[in-house]
Amino acid sequence: MGQQHRTPIFTVVLLFLSGLCLSGAQTMRQTYIVQADGVATARAAVFESGGSVTAELPIIDGVAARMPAETAAALAGDPRIHAVHPERVVTATGNTTAPGDYQQAVGAEQAWAAGIDGAGVTVALVDSGIDLQTPNVIARFSALDQQPAPSDAYGHGTFLAGVIGSRFAGGATMGVAPGASLVDVQVLDGEGKGTITDVVQGLDWVLARHETYGIRVVNLSLQSAVVTPYWDDPINQAVEALWQAGIVVVVAAGNTGPEPVSIAVPANNPFVITVGAFTDAYTPTDEADDFITPFSASGPTEVGFVKPDIVAPGAHIVSRMKKSTAWAVAHPGSWLGGNNYTASGTSASAAVVSGVVSLMLQQQPALTPNLVKHALRAAARPAVGEDGVSLTFSVFQQGAGRVWAPGAVFSDFGGVEANAGMIPGQTYIGPVRLIDGIYTFVTEGGELQPWASTYSWAGTYSWAGTYSWAGTYSWAGTYSWAGGYAWDESSFADPTWEMLQPGGTSPIGDRPAIDLLPPD
């Protein structure tokens, strides 16, 4: 295979700006998320402590508030308060392919031929906004200023809208589900920055209005660092509320791979559909040369769940944004003419799957999120060796395999659901018990024994027998692989990769730390 050139798109770093202000004896105030048994209780406790509420977050029974660190520490001990979280870093992920390439690679054209294009299904894109000239947008909301989003100054959201399913003049850049409607939920500013509060407010808005706009799918191509078990994270709590309300949540795995345990928030949530990236090596009808991209984040999660759930095209993706947007200005080499740009990342992979889910819901509107997730995994095509059984990549790299739209859209899987026996809002124990000498299991009381916010992988992850996930991990067949999880650079025909840094290439394995990644 010849050399591959992929310019990764926006790893949008959502900097959770604490914001500095002074009060009293020059005490520095910061932003915290305070949770109780309801918004009213959280608001009252903040007020009594001398803090100020900046936003209400009913989807997670909490508020965003500003207060000194010592006040937050004292508030955490208040018996009325369930949790106090500081704002923290989140990142969004990216995409790329020539027009018609990724649609063909996932079999979307077969659904179109049967008259299935996503019509009647609405996807909420929680991102940097969608340009006002983008078709199919039926509603807009901005968590940044509580006003309708004016446009997309950064470019990331508009690019992903095109991948999900926007039609443009002359038929250019038709996404996976061109008949789907879009709702613009802006949580990132013109520099690709936002806060946990912004994201949770955006998700709360979706929950409150999903019936009004027919929102069946939410696309989250952003990520935050893992600093608590998944169930204790505010964004994860919000996405579980959406899932329980019947909304399919599709999340980018992240551009932090290939090392194990590199899945971040909210991709580490066991309920959502977490999407990693593969490249079709510019041959969309030939699966033999496909491989997982080096930047695609890998599982297991911090408590041992298999992630990603599935992989989708995430290299050499083409979509649209205005040349005046911040990302376009920063990456002139990605310009293809007109308003077309090329980029790479798991943001696009998630957008592809959001499009596929739209096709599924048009064909089978009664599908629940758990039914959708099972159908996607059951119809997926795992990368296997010549024997047809041994996996080329482990489940922690490819999940159930590459997404395949015709199987997911037209097959009847007999009502089998993913997440069997699992209920949003409850905690679950994954199978991984020891990572680098640190136990990461959950006790009966829901406590980690102990918890560490930084993970390093020691040795190899040994896979044995059937993966138990409140039942049996479902595959489209029976597959196996030998040995542990070890990243092998020799599996790539291309010795170099255009890494997640502006205009530069570097050998596989020589990649920057997550906090140095530019917007994807």
Side-chain angles (χ1 to χ4, degrees), residues 305-386:
F305 285 106
V306 167
K307 288 290 180 175
D309 296 295
I310 202 167
V311 291
H316 65 97
I317 304 294
V318 169
S319 190
R320 297 168 64 90
M321 72 180 81
K322 285 186 175 180
K323 290 185 284 186
S324 59
T325 59
W327 191 89
V329 170
H331 299 82
S334 296
W335 182 57
L336 300 177
N339 288 321
N340 297 306
Y341 284 81
T342 180
S344 302
T346 57
S347 281
S349 304
V352 168
V353 171
S354 289
V356 172
V357 172
S358 300
L359 303 178
M360 295 171 66
L361 291 173
Q362 179 188 358
Q363 175 69 5
Q364 303 183 63
L367 291 178
T368 65
N370 285 333
L371 289 171
V372 167
K373 185 173 181 178
H374 172 76
L376 279 171
R377 295 193 311 196
R381 298 184 174 187
V384 297
E386 294 182 357

Side-chain angles (χ1 to χ4, degrees), residues 262-321:
S262 53
I263 299 288
V265 173
N268 65 334
N269 193 293
F271 288 93
V272 304
I273 297 169
T274 300
V275 187
F278 76 86
T279 176
D280 63 16
Y282 297 94
T283 58
T285 61
D286 180 8
E287 298 181 17
D289 58 0
D290 296 354
F291 59 87
I292 306 298
T293 62
F295 56 75
S296 188
S298 301
T301 69
E302 77 285 350
V303 294
F305 285 106
V306 167
K307 288 290 180 175
D309 296 295
I310 202 167
V311 291
H316 65 97
I317 304 294
V318 169
S319 190
R320 297 168 64 90
M321 72 180 81

Side-chain angles (χ1 to χ4, degrees), residues 38 64 75 84 119 170 173 180 190 234 237 259 270 299 314 319 386 423 448-449 453:
L75 193 61
V84 177
T173 315
Q237 292 171 8
E259 289 77 11
S319 190
E386 294 182 357
I423 301 173
L448 277 177
Q449 191 64 35
S453 60

